[in-house]
Amino acid sequence: MQKLTMYGVILSSMVSLSACSSDSTKSEVSTTQNRESTMKQNSRSQSNYLVVYYSEPESEGTDAVAGASRAEYENRIVGNTALMAEWVAEQVNSDIHEIETTEPYPGNHEKLVDQVKEELSQGMRPRLSSSLENLEDYDTIFIGYPIWWSDIPTPLYAFLEDTDLSGKRIIPFSTHGGSGFSNTISTISELEPDAEVETQNVLTISRENISEAREEVNDWLNDLGF
């Protein structure tokens, strides 16, 4: 399956626009190398579960706010949403698909905030470079994303508007900077009206707590029956 990797190679990063972030040069190099590794296709899990996630790193800045969208975990820098996606994929033994755009977003915090605010307010959609094939192989799809201005990211809008998930079970999870899910689950339900979207047993984690949240993620998945 194109653009699918197993959980162990997920090392990209996310941005939660309640407080976007960036990191040091060392982290930037690590993130770039790990993002390249997600392009490689490993052997598939033979599972009918799939994790789909979107994450966008900020590549500039080293101040205190700059670490907000990234977590240090097992001696590596990982995006908050990507780290959650990794844990989910590991526990449910699933394939994973990263949503990526053809044009990169700004690495600067202020420029990124301004751009995504404009995209959301004007209904703009970025062109995606990643594609998802063999969708019929999956019954349950976990969808992970950061919260952008109390909304889902525009690349996730593009993915959901272009991908028919009718008949699938969708289980959302997210990372945030203080807004929780906001109204994003309702938005996903509206975009995929013929899918079964989980609305009650869902999980969102603050960026402040992500590094220590693995047990919380596992407990949530256990409650869901995984």
Side-chain angles (χ1 to χ4, degrees):
M1 177 177 294
Q2 183 178 0
K3 301 289 291 183
L4 290 174
T5 69
M6 291 302 296
Y7 70 87
V9 294
I10 312 166
L11 298 177
S12 65
S13 58
M14 55 79 64
V15 74
S16 176
L17 289 183
S18 299
C20 300
S21 73
S22 56
D23 211 277
S24 64
T25 301
K26 179 179 179 181
S27 297
E28 181 180 353
V29 172
S30 176
T31 300
T32 301
Q33 292 173 340
N34 292 327
R35 180 174 286 274
E36 289 174 354
S37 74
T38 67
M39 303 290 288
K40 300 176 182 178
Q41 181 176 343
N42 287 0
S43 58
R44 295 184 53 202
S45 66
Q46 304 302 317
S47 167
N48 62 345
Y49 309 135
L50 176 66
V51 174
V52 174
Y53 77 97
Y54 174 74
S55 180
E56 183 61 42
E58 290 180 34
S59 58
E60 297 180 15
T62 57
D63 59 18
V65 178
S69 71
R70 291 174 175 171
E72 183 175 348
Y73 184 75
E74 295 182 343
N75 298 317
R76 55 193 173 98
I77 301 299
V78 190
N80 294 340
T81 303
L83 185 56
M84 283 189 72
E86 176 179 334
W87 290 336
V88 172
E90 179 178 359
Q91 179 145 330
V92 305
N93 188 31
S94 74
D95 293 326
I96 194 160
H97 173 80
E98 180 184 6
I99 299 170
E100 297 179 288
T101 59
T102 57
E103 296 295 328
Y105 279 86
N108 175 270
H109 175 80
E110 289 77 14
K111 291 180 180 179
L112 177 59
V113 170
D114 290 344
Q115 178 171 328
V116 299
K117 184 177 182 179
E118 180 181 10
E119 287 183 355
L120 287 167
S121 65
Q122 297 188 11
M124 299 169 64
R125 302 291 184 261
R127 179 172 296 181
L128 304 184
S129 61
S130 55
S131 61
L132 181 58
E133 300 177 358
N134 301 327
L135 190 59
E136 67 277 4
D137 292 349
Y138 305 105
D139 299 325
T140 298
I141 301 177
F142 293 85
I143 295 182
Y145 51 95
I147 303 298
W148 279 12
W149 291 97
S150 299
D151 206 342
I152 64 174
T154 50
L156 182 55
Y157 267 109
F159 173 82
L160 293 173
E161 289 170 353
D162 291 343
T163 307
D164 183 4
L165 299 180
S166 297
K168 310 293 185 184
R169 183 187 184 193
I170 296 176
I171 305 177
F173 64 92
S174 75
T175 56
H176 68 91
S179 63
F181 270 112
S182 192
N183 294 317
T184 60
I185 296 177
S186 296
T187 299
I188 293 172
S189 297
E190 292 170 1
L191 292 171
E192 297 290 349
D194 296 319
E196 177 190 346
V197 180
E198 178 67 45
T199 60
Q200 299 298 318
N201 197 352
V202 292
L203 181 64
T204 185
I205 296 178
S206 168
R207 65 175 186 269
E208 303 292 339
N209 304 321
I210 187 67
S211 294
E212 308 300 325
R214 179 160 192 168
E215 184 175 352
E216 183 178 359
V217 172
N218 288 346
D219 288 344
W220 168 61
L221 293 169
N222 286 334
D223 288 342
L224 285 167
F226 294 96

